[in-house]
Structures are given as structure tokens and as C-alpha cells.
Amino acid sequence: MSLGGHTDQTARRRPPSGAMAIVRSGFYEGLEVAIDRERIVIGRGRKADLALAEATISRAHAAIGFDGERFFVEDLGSTNGTLVNGARVSRQPLKSDDEIQMGKLRIGVSLPD
């Protein structure tokens, strides 16, 4: 156990600072969101961590996360699927400059070295 009640495992899963998701198209174009926790759910539902009023995405469409070693995107059973660089994925490791597409929403990823 470390100070503050966090376990060592929690600390290992905290993503390195500087990771960003950047909306590249649509109404939210230019929106930048820090990937600063283990998992961020993206969707149009109120319970999503990143709630976007985009009709072509599911309420809980996909999650961007960090598993302690690498960043990843995971489809959460969405209707229209999740694509990374044009290929449909269920779960995919991410690298800097990858593009995630959910419906009409396109999100770029900027990750620390």
C-alpha cells in the first residue's frame, strides 16, 4: 500500500502524463481530452466519461484505456463498431497518431514517447 490509500497496482495502471485524444471532425472538432485515468468511456449516454451528442455513436460506444503497459481502444458492443486507422477492431493497442473512428466521429491519439 502506498500513501493515500492507493495500491501499487493502481499506481502502475495510471497512464503517463501527456496522452491526449483529439476530435478531428464534426461538431466537437478540436476538442482535446486528456487520457489521464485507467479507462475513459466515450459515448452519447449521460453515464459516459466523455459524453458527446453524436447520433452515430452508441450510449457507451468505446473506451480508451491504459493497461499498465500500453494504451488501447476497446469497442463496448457498439451498433456501428469501432475502427482504428480504417480497420474494425474489438480491442486494439494504440500508438501515437492512430485515428479512432466511431460512427461519424474521428478521434486522433497523441501519446507520450
Side-chain angles (χ1 to χ4, degrees), residues 2-73:
S2 63
L3 294 176
H6 294 287
T7 64
D8 291 334
Q9 183 177 4
T10 301
R12 279 196 305 266
R13 289 186 168 241
R14 186 171 297 124
S17 63
M20 300 291 290
I22 304 108
V23 179
R24 291 185 174 167
S25 65
F27 181 78
Y28 299 94
E29 185 174 343
L31 176 67
E32 295 185 6
V33 178
I35 305 169
D36 58 359
R37 47 197 146 151
E38 188 176 328
R39 181 176 158 107
I40 296 173
V41 174
I42 302 167
R44 63 178 166 78
R46 291 183 306 217
K47 293 182 181 179
D49 299 308
L50 178 55
L52 302 172
E54 170 57 60
T56 61
I57 65 174
S58 297
R59 286 186 188 103
H61 194 104
I64 297 175
F66 183 73
D67 65 9
E69 295 180 21
R70 66 184 62 88
F71 289 90
F72 64 89
V73 64

